[in-house]
Amino acid sequence: MRNLQAADFAKEIDSRKKELMELRFQAAVGNLAQPHRVKQLRREVAQLNTILSERSKGEQA
């Protein structure tokens, strides 16, 4: 993840959030095939946001 360019971070975060939304909808309907994927996606979004934050703080300093 740290090898991504700055422009790719927004795309990756958006795609993971979209997938997470779809999984939440499937869970609400009751046919979620991979329940562990929800936790995994939440963690990936958090990691991407953390890396993005670190980079912006590094540029400011």
Side-chain angles (χ1 to χ4, degrees), residues 4-7 9 50-61:
L4 292 174
Q5 298 296 324
F9 272 101
T50 300
I51 294 169
L52 190 62
S53 174
E54 287 174 354
R55 285 188 180 182
S56 67
K57 288 180 182 178
E59 291 174 357
Q60 291 176 357

